Amino acid sequence: MDTKSEEQVQIRLVAKQQKYAVPEAPIVVPQQLQRYGLSEIVNHLLGNERPIPFDFLVDGQFLRDSISGYLKEKSLSAENILTLEYVESMLPPTEIASYSHDDWISSVVAASRDKFVVGSYDGIVRLWNAQSECVDTLVGHDSAVKCVAAATAGGAKTRVEFISGSQDRTAIAWGMKNGARKALYAARGHTDSIEAVSVNPSNTHFVTASTDSTIRFWSLAAPKQSEDAILDDAETAPLAKKRKSANAQFMTKAAIGTLTGHVGAVTSVCFNKDQESQIFSGGWDHSVRTWDVASGVNMATNLCDKVVLDIDYSAHSRLIATGHADRSIRLWDPRSDDNTVVKLRLTSHKGFVSSVAWAPNSAYMLASASHDSTIKVWDIRSRTPLYTVYPSSDKDKGKKLLALDWHESLLLAGGESGSLRIHSVNSQYEDAAQTLVQAED
Amino acid sequence: MARKGNMSAGKKRSAASRDEKPVVEKKEVFPQASVLEASSESEYESNDDEEDIMDGDFDQALRAMAEDQGFDSADGEDFESEDAEEAQEAENDDNEDDDEESDIHSSDIEGASSDGEDADSEDAESDDEEFELERTGSRSTDGHATAFDSDAEAAAYAEALGNADSELLGDEGMDRLTIRDFGKDLESWKSYRKTLPQIEPGYASDSSTDEPVNTIGNVPIEWYEDYPHIGYDIDGKRIMKPATADELDKFLENMDNPDVFRTARDEVNQKDVKISAEEIDIIRRIQGGDIPDADYNPYEDTVEWFTSQTMKTPLTGAPLTKRGFVPSKWEHKRVMQIVRAIRQGLITSGAPTEKQEPRLYDVWENADAQPKEDNSRRPRLVAPRMALPTHEESYHPPEEYLATPEEREKWENTDPEDRKRNFLPQDFNSLRTVPGYENFVHERFQRCLDLYLAPRMLKKTNNLNAEELMPRLPDPRDLRPFPSAEALVYLGHTGRVRSISVDPTGLWLLSGSDDGTVRLWELVTGRCARIWNLGDVVHTVAWCPNAEVCVFAVAAGSRVAIIIPTELCDDQKRLVSEELVRAGFSSAAADEDVADDSLPVSWDTPTTAEQATGMHIMVAMHKTVKSVAWHRRGDYLASLTSEEGGSSVLIHQISKH
């Protein structure tokens, strides 16, 4: 023990963030030092009055053990100089607020820092602001709302604000019309519950994924008139008359295109934020597919062994993150030729990973919500989650989380308990992410 | 003297009978079985030896005479061939032949005697007849030639021999007789009885033996009486008679010859033979009824085969029993049995034919037969050994083994059954002074009881440890995939959940419970989407496997409800589903007369309130429905109703009831 504790190693400390830069000369430290000790050293070198926690990266991976442990694991010699990059540690997410709902929350999206759209199993889409006020309650769906997506389209008169998909097989675009927030149109055509909706980055189109194993592609703009005729042409005419649902009064929108290829329910869909016409979808057939919506071609099919419950694409890391029923998160590289290889598999959850969300301004950060009622924040440079956010109130404990959204520094999650949990995440990585993106560009 | 005569006669007769009797019998009995013939022949030959032994001395005399005639007595093969010839002749009528043969002999003798005394010839003839009778009789009784009882017979025979002065050996029948006898009997005679000096043919005898043997063959001399030759040689040339003197010359010669009285004429060789003094002596003896051999002592000391003295360990001095050399009657019968069997074809020669397995046979023939436990296979259990004696049991044990008075007292006070050992070590000066062990018999008896009564069982020990008895469980890693973690809990039911069913798309889950409700769950989230209250224990829920429709059946109490969950299906699916459930009622209306109250099932339309919840058909039955199951096409529905006293399976058709 004594001899071991005296073993030392030369390290060189490097920082991407200029404000935390220290002299690059190698220093000799004991091998037993862990993250905390190294952080103290950096703080000492910086001469900070109030210590700032740092995380240390060796070879692109977070140092989670002592230095000796790392050397041992990689079977490296202690005589070489070890280069340690350090970044400011992300502070643990802090719960800001909790908005209570009557029924299960199935989906949540933050349109802005002050506008949270919550879809609920009671078929109502609610609009909250940051002051814990329910701004609007939008009734229109016959059945549970399964997904919501924020959008910004249209002029001053008619503006689409968000879209909700429901088990009643319709997606309704909600927006401001004539100063009032109401349903602008209903996108009809799916024969089964709509599980996911995604709006393209330029806010012109959106796609919906359904359990009828199809993905439909719609334009976002409100139609001038109801497109029932198109729908009726496409389907059997007599059925149109039978339609007596509550939202029948809404203007009908027909899909531009239908993407068929999944052999099971499609649970999730998202746009490639870099490439407007490309979407990614995942479903119960264990596949993660890449589609070209313009041509309607299934460009790639990546298979894993487990049901895909949610999918998200990061423009910064250009990776797809998928949440699975086998309690794991998988990261895919859609550009990879070897389309079957999962780049990374993150396992820590104890239940279905119902939702994943990339950090909007980081190439490494990732959040996931699971049926085990926890939110986990990941840095993909580490295989262990950075933070695990447990439910704070007894009401939420043991309740499944079904929805998650990461908007700027806000982390919103909701689920079985009906409470919308809003967490604040420090965005210390912003600069680093930006610099990284710039460097890559 | 009488005995001697008997023996001689017996010999003569046996010689005659031997020629054909065994052969005749052989031919008669074994015409086909050559092997048996050979063996029996040898047996008869050995019997011949026996006869020869008995009649040896007479044979000796005759042998000497035969040697005078120059016959090779040692040649046995000729005799065999003659036997065979005669056997051929005898095959047809052996009795006639028998008589003929004996006639030949008797005529020979007659002829011989006729040269001597005419008066005796009459007696000889009559005696011969008698002899003939006697011989056949004796053969018929025991077939052995040694027992002669008639004195007259023996005398006649001896006389006949004795009279054969001049022409004793001139007859061919006689030749054959003598040759046969001598050749056969010499060896056995020598080995059994008195050893006479060997007579060298041609040297020891004073008879001239150097002249060539008559080469004319077996032809009666009388045939050539009027010819100058006496026969033909082997080349067919005549053999001329030697020049003979006329009667006067003969007379004169006889006058001059002092040995004329002992000269005999050999017709075959056409010359005179001078009889030696010894031969004359023998003839005289025979004529006098005496034993021909001068050296023979008829009054030898008696050999006491069976003495009055009983020896403790007698060496076998007993004579050979008759049984040893008489052909066994029973064996003969046995052989005859076999022969008859062979003739009837019951015994066939050659290898026994293999018993052929039947081509088809019953495989289960012995299926029921319990395999017998083979006790012989069991390992034999060795009786436990008695303990070896130790120093304590020594007659002179070391002192430390001897019991002290206290020990002795203690030993005596304990019950015999409780004693460690049933004796006390005792010290004796010598083994001689050791008394008999009084408990010996008792102990042996106890030992016997131990061996007899104690069951000797082979104790089987199971060298098994408990782990080997456990079933070998596979490694859980080999059994993957299997559920390893709880994923979802569907909370809501207040009673026991009896049945679950996943819909064909895999998105929805139905559960039926004792609380009387059926719940519809969103499978992936565990959200309860719908509750139907049926008011009775729900035993089974089952989705219709047809993906075209969205229908499920619920067995609640004694009813089966067919329900369409309207919120799950789009318009088209709902239409198809409703069509399905309504089809039955329309068809039932069409043929109302078929409807029968006796049916155990009644198809009812639910109340309007129930219809609003999606229930479309209510199938009521008399008993509790335990289970329902769909046919994979989705039209037929099987239900299991069960109550005390039996259960029944009913199959319903949705589209027609």
Side-chain angles (χ1 to χ4, degrees):
Chain A
M1 187 65 195
D2 291 330
T3 54
K4 226 181 178 183
S5 64
E6 293 188 4
E7 281 177 13
Q8 294 190 320
V9 65
Q10 280 189 311
I11 59 166
R12 179 187 290 127
L13 292 164
V14 182
K16 287 251 172 72
Q17 293 158 298
Q18 285 303 311
K19 57 180 176 178
Y20 298 131
V22 295
E24 284 204 357
I27 55 171
V28 177
V29 296
Q31 282 191 12
Q32 292 304 108
L33 274 189
Q34 292 195 359
R35 178 181 153 204
Y36 182 73
L38 289 166
S39 191
E40 278 188 331
I41 290 171
V42 173
N43 275 309
H44 177 71
L45 289 170
L46 289 171
N48 283 343
E49 291 276 322
R50 197 170 133 262
I52 303 166
F54 289 101
D55 260 326
F56 296 84
L57 289 153
V58 191
D59 233 2
Q61 292 287 319
F62 272 114
L63 187 70
R64 289 288 182 239
D65 199 358
S66 63
I67 296 172
S68 65
Y70 172 81
L71 294 175
K72 204 172 180 183
E73 186 193 336
K74 301 278 181 184
S75 59
L76 293 173
S77 165
E79 294 174 6
N80 297 337
I81 298 173
L82 197 64
T83 305
L84 288 177
E85 183 192 342
Y86 59 94
V87 291
E88 192 182 347
S89 276
M90 177 191 157
L91 293 174
T94 50
E95 185 163 348
I96 300 168
S98 178
Y99 302 166
S100 185
H101 290 69
D102 294 338
D103 209 339
W104 293 20
I105 293 168
S106 65
S107 54
V108 61
V109 70
S112 68
R113 284 192 71 91
D114 197 28
K115 195 163 80 178
F116 312 130
V117 186
V118 176
S120 175
Y121 268 92
D122 55 7
I124 297 168
V125 180
R126 288 183 178 83
L127 201 62
W128 298 80
N129 64 9
Q131 287 75 43
S132 307
E133 287 166 346
C134 184
V135 178
D136 227 334
T137 303
L138 303 167
V139 180
H141 283 296
D142 294 342
S143 187
V145 176
K146 294 302 296 284
C147 53
V148 288
T152 314
K157 197 181 166 198
T158 306
R159 196 156 59 88
V160 179
E161 285 182 322
F162 47 86
I163 300 162
S164 65
S166 165
Q167 278 183 349
D168 65 1
R169 299 173 289 283
T170 59
I172 295 177
W174 307 87
M176 299 298 286
K177 191 178 181 185
N178 303 329
R181 188 171 281 116
K182 54 190 281 189
L184 298 177
Y185 57 85
R188 301 178 206 273
H190 278 295
T191 58
D192 212 335
S193 166
I194 292 170
E195 293 287 315
V197 60
S198 177
V199 181
N200 72 342
S202 55
N203 283 301
T204 55
H205 294 86
F206 70 96
V207 288
T208 52
S210 166
T211 51
D212 64 4
S213 74
T214 62
I215 299 161
R216 289 180 197 243
F217 181 54
W218 321 73
S219 67
L220 194 58
K224 297 277 185 297
Q225 59 187 33
S226 184
E227 292 172 351
D228 276 331
I230 304 171
L231 208 64
D232 291 343
D233 286 346
E235 298 177 16
T236 49
L239 286 174
K241 289 167 193 152
K242 303 273 181 187
R243 209 172 287 129
K244 290 177 288 189
S245 51
N247 59 16
Q249 74 266 18
F250 307 139
M251 212 184 290
T252 300
K253 188 174 194 59
I256 299 169
T258 304
L259 310 178
T260 53
H262 275 288
V263 292
V266 189
T267 54
S268 53
V269 67
C270 71
F271 266 98
N272 184 344
K273 294 179 180 73
D274 301 323
Q275 208 173 333
E276 286 279 318
S277 68
Q278 200 174 55
I279 61 165
F280 306 109
S281 69
W284 282 34
D285 58 356
H286 306 168
S287 67
V288 174
R289 290 170 193 254
T290 309
W291 306 82
D292 187 87
V293 284
S295 59
V297 174
N298 182 7
M299 292 162 72
T301 303
N302 300 351
L303 288 169
C304 62
D305 285 341
K306 297 296 179 286
V307 167
V308 181
L309 295 178
D310 195 18
I311 191 166
D312 195 17
Y313 176 81
S314 165
H316 299 300
S317 65
R318 292 178 179 137
L319 291 174
I320 300 169
T322 50
H324 293 267
D326 69 340
R327 305 177 289 170
S328 63
I329 299 154
R330 285 179 173 82
L331 299 181
W332 313 73
D333 190 351
R335 297 169 296 179
S336 166
D337 293 335
D338 191 1
N339 57 8
T340 56
V341 169
V342 174
K343 202 183 169 200
L344 191 64
R345 182 165 169 245
L346 303 169
T347 51
S348 175
H349 278 297
K350 295 184 178 67
F352 288 7
V353 181
S354 55
S355 186
V356 289
W358 283 100
N361 46 18
S362 169
Y364 308 112
M365 302 298 286
L366 178 71
S368 63
S370 163
H371 283 186
D372 62 5
S373 73
T374 60
I375 304 162
K376 282 181 195 281
V377 181
W378 306 80
D379 190 306
I380 60 169
R381 292 169 292 189
S382 170
R383 284 172 175 274
T384 50
L386 287 181
Y387 293 106
T388 301
V389 183
Y390 292 97
S392 55
S393 67
D394 289 343
K395 189 188 163 201
D396 296 344
K397 272 176 187 153
K399 301 290 185 185
K400 295 182 275 283
L401 283 179
L402 300 174
L404 178 77
D405 189 35
W406 191 334
H407 182 80
E408 296 179 355
S409 63
L410 293 177
L411 202 55
L412 299 97
E416 190 183 353
S417 64
S419 55
L420 177 69
R421 290 154 60 185
I422 302 170
H423 302 268
S424 165
V425 188
N426 74 335
S427 51
Q428 304 293 350
Y429 282 134
E430 262 179 74
D431 297 342
Q434 290 302 326
T435 50
L436 190 69
V437 170
Q438 280 160 13
E440 282 185 12
D441 290 342
Chain B
M1 203 54 202
R3 178 179 163 77
K4 179 70 181 176
N6 280 350
M7 292 180 76
S8 304
K11 179 63 218 164
K12 175 73 181 168
R13 196 177 50 195
S14 76
S17 63
R18 193 186 299 124
D19 282 340
E20 69 276 350
K21 184 193 107 186
V23 179
V24 166
E25 266 191 28
K26 277 185 257 169
K27 286 294 171 191
E28 176 184 68
V29 173
F30 312 121
Q32 291 152 5
S34 57
V35 178
L36 289 171
E37 190 179 346
S39 64
S40 60
E41 185 170 17
S42 63
E43 178 139 357
Y44 281 111
E45 277 174 12
S46 69
N47 285 336
D48 288 349
D49 289 346
E50 287 299 324
E51 295 166 17
D52 296 342
I53 292 160
M54 303 301 283
D55 310 329
D57 43 1
F58 178 60
D59 289 341
Q60 181 69 24
L62 287 182
R63 184 177 178 276
M65 292 180 224
E67 276 169 3
D68 285 344
Q69 304 303 317
F71 286 96
D72 187 2
S73 60
D75 190 2
E77 282 182 14
D78 287 347
F79 310 145
E80 291 296 329
S81 62
E82 279 176 3
D83 280 350
E85 276 174 26
E86 288 194 0
Q88 286 286 341
E89 288 169 17
E91 197 169 347
N92 295 323
D93 44 357
D94 51 324
N95 280 332
E96 255 180 53
D97 205 41
D98 221 351
D99 292 341
E100 201 180 337
E101 191 71 18
S102 54
D103 281 345
I104 288 167
H105 295 303
S106 51
S107 65
D108 291 343
I109 296 160
E110 206 177 333
S113 62
S114 64
D115 279 331
E117 293 178 18
D118 287 340
D120 282 338
S121 71
E122 288 288 326
D123 290 336
E125 246 181 57
S126 62
D127 282 344
D128 203 25
E129 280 173 19
E130 205 176 321
F131 162 55
E132 180 70 38
L133 286 169
E134 180 62 32
R135 195 187 62 171
T136 48
S138 73
R139 188 168 66 185
S140 65
T141 48
D142 62 356
H144 203 263
T146 48
F148 301 139
D149 298 323
S150 164
D151 282 353
E153 175 195 335
Y157 191 28
E159 200 167 4
L161 271 177
N163 290 338
D165 257 355
S166 56
E167 301 202 337
L168 182 63
L169 301 173
D171 190 22
E172 55 179 89
M174 197 65 198
D175 285 348
R176 210 159 62 205
L177 177 77
T178 49
I179 285 163
R180 161 114 199 152
D181 289 345
F182 283 69
K184 280 294 199 184
D185 296 342
L186 180 61
E187 292 298 320
S188 48
W189 169 254
K190 275 196 296 183
S191 60
Y192 280 97
R193 287 287 170 89
K194 199 190 297 176
T195 306
L196 292 172
Q198 181 78 36
I199 297 168
E200 297 269 336
Y203 297 98
S205 169
D206 49 357
S207 314
S208 59
T209 56
D210 48 352
E211 60 264 293
V213 190
N214 189 356
T215 55
I216 60 165
N218 190 11
V219 178
I221 289 296
E222 305 91 69
W223 293 357
Y224 299 98
E225 270 179 1
D226 300 332
Y227 296 101
H229 58 278
I230 56 163
Y232 302 90
D233 63 4
I234 198 166
D235 299 323
K237 290 180 179 166
R238 285 178 180 174
I239 297 172
M240 302 309 290
K241 280 180 187 168
T244 48
D246 57 0
E247 288 299 315
L248 185 63
D249 289 340
K250 275 184 190 172
F251 179 74
L252 290 174
E253 200 175 343
N254 285 347
M255 285 293 115
D256 295 341
N257 191 358
D259 297 330
V260 71
F261 67 97
R262 52 178 188 184
T263 302
R265 178 70 182 173
D266 182 1
E267 282 294 337
V268 176
N269 290 315
Q270 292 293 313
K271 66 177 187 180
D272 294 334
V273 175
K274 187 180 168 189
I275 297 172
S276 65
E278 289 144 4
E279 286 165 349
I280 289 171
D281 184 38
I282 289 169
I283 291 166
R284 288 245 170 82
R285 280 172 176 275
I286 291 169
Q287 280 176 324
D290 213 342
I291 297 169
D293 187 1
D295 297 336
Y296 180 73
N297 180 14
Y299 307 109
E300 276 183 52
D301 292 339
T302 311
V303 177
E304 283 204 337
W305 301 114
F306 304 99
T307 63
S308 54
Q309 287 179 320
T310 312
M311 297 173 76
K312 271 191 177 174
T313 55
L315 295 168
T316 173
L320 291 167
T321 55
K322 185 180 175 182
R323 198 171 57 236
F325 46 86
V326 174
S328 164
K329 186 179 168 187
W330 307 110
E331 198 176 41
H332 179 239
K333 283 190 172 178
R334 174 77 191 132
V335 169
M336 283 306 295
Q337 229 175 357
I338 295 169
V339 167
R340 266 183 239 114
I342 291 170
R343 279 186 187 158
Q344 289 166 15
L346 296 178
I347 298 174
T348 52
S349 62
T353 54
E354 280 185 26
K355 197 184 172 189
Q356 280 194 334
E357 283 284 316
R359 204 162 57 82
L360 301 170
Y361 56 93
D362 184 9
V363 177
W364 310 109
E365 197 174 15
N366 299 320
D368 293 336
Q370 292 289 328
K372 269 192 177 177
E373 206 177 340
D374 193 0
N375 285 334
S376 65
R377 293 272 177 87
R378 278 191 187 163
R380 289 189 58 180
L381 284 178
V382 184
R385 287 170 187 275
M386 285 188 78
L388 289 171
T390 60
H391 290 297
E392 290 175 339
E393 282 152 284
S394 168
Y395 75 96
H396 187 53
E399 282 214 2
E400 60 264 31
Y401 286 95
L402 292 172
T404 57
E406 295 84 46
E407 284 174 344
R408 177 176 293 276
E409 191 184 352
K410 191 185 169 193
W411 185 82
E412 280 166 352
N413 288 337
T414 46
D415 192 70
E417 285 191 1
D418 297 337
R419 288 168 182 166
K420 269 188 181 175
R421 47 188 181 319
N422 53 357
F423 63 93
L424 279 177
Q426 282 177 294
D427 193 10
F428 298 98
N429 286 334
S430 66
L431 196 57
R432 190 160 47 81
T433 56
V434 176
Y437 181 46
E438 68 272 17
N439 287 333
F440 178 76
V441 174
H442 179 71
E443 271 187 6
R444 296 319 298 172
F445 178 67
Q446 290 297 329
R447 169 76 174 162
C448 287
L449 285 186
D450 285 349
L451 295 179
Y452 180 66
L453 295 178
R456 273 180 273 158
M457 297 279 288
L458 193 67
K459 194 180 173 189
K460 277 191 176 176
T461 54
N462 281 330
N463 293 326
L464 290 170
N465 48 8
E467 285 169 11
E468 285 179 29
L469 294 172
M470 294 287 285
R472 201 167 291 274
L473 293 171
D475 192 334
R477 272 176 292 181
D478 302 337
L479 295 174
R480 285 180 193 280
F482 55 85
S484 54
E486 179 193 281
L488 285 168
V489 181
Y490 302 88
L491 285 170
H493 277 299
T494 55
R496 180 199 292 181
V497 178
R498 286 189 180 268
S499 169
I500 58 166
S501 176
V502 181
D503 90 308
T505 61
L507 295 164
W508 301 95
L509 176 74
L510 272 177
S511 63
S513 164
D514 275 3
D515 59 9
T517 59
V518 172
R519 281 173 184 256
L520 177 72
W521 308 88
E522 193 182 28
L523 192 111
V524 73
T525 56
R527 160 137 186 132
C528 179
R530 185 84 184 264
I531 300 172
W532 287 272
N533 199 334
L534 289 145
D536 212 336
V537 173
V538 178
H539 277 107
T540 310
V541 288
W543 278 99
C544 176
N546 187 357
E548 302 277 311
V549 297
C550 190
V551 174
F552 63 86
V554 179
S558 61
R559 299 182 303 168
V560 174
I562 309 293
I563 299 174
I564 302 175
T566 40
E567 67 271 37
L568 298 189
C569 44
D570 61 348
D571 301 331
Q572 178 158 7
K573 216 176 209 177
R574 195 173 64 220
L575 279 179
V576 175
S577 305
E578 283 173 0
E579 213 170 291
L580 172 73
V581 296
R582 278 183 196 136
F585 287 107
S586 55
S587 80
D591 42 19
E592 240 174 71
D593 49 330
V594 180
D596 193 355
D597 292 341
S598 65
L599 282 172
V601 177
S602 67
W603 294 72
D604 306 321
T605 314
T607 60
T608 334
E610 282 175 334
Q611 275 189 355
T613 63
M615 291 187 206
H616 283 81
I617 306 173
M618 199 63 80
V619 188
M621 299 182 205
H622 300 324
K623 295 175 181 175
T624 309
V625 185
K626 294 279 184 188
S627 173
V628 289
W630 289 87
H631 182 257
R632 89 190 143 76
R633 289 266 175 82
D635 193 16
Y636 292 95
L637 182 72
S639 69
L640 174 73
T641 58
S642 177
E643 223 151 71
E644 298 93 39
S647 53
S648 58
V649 175
L650 299 171
I651 296 177
H652 319 278
Q653 192 177 9
I654 301 297
S655 59
K656 197 188 276 184
H657 45 77

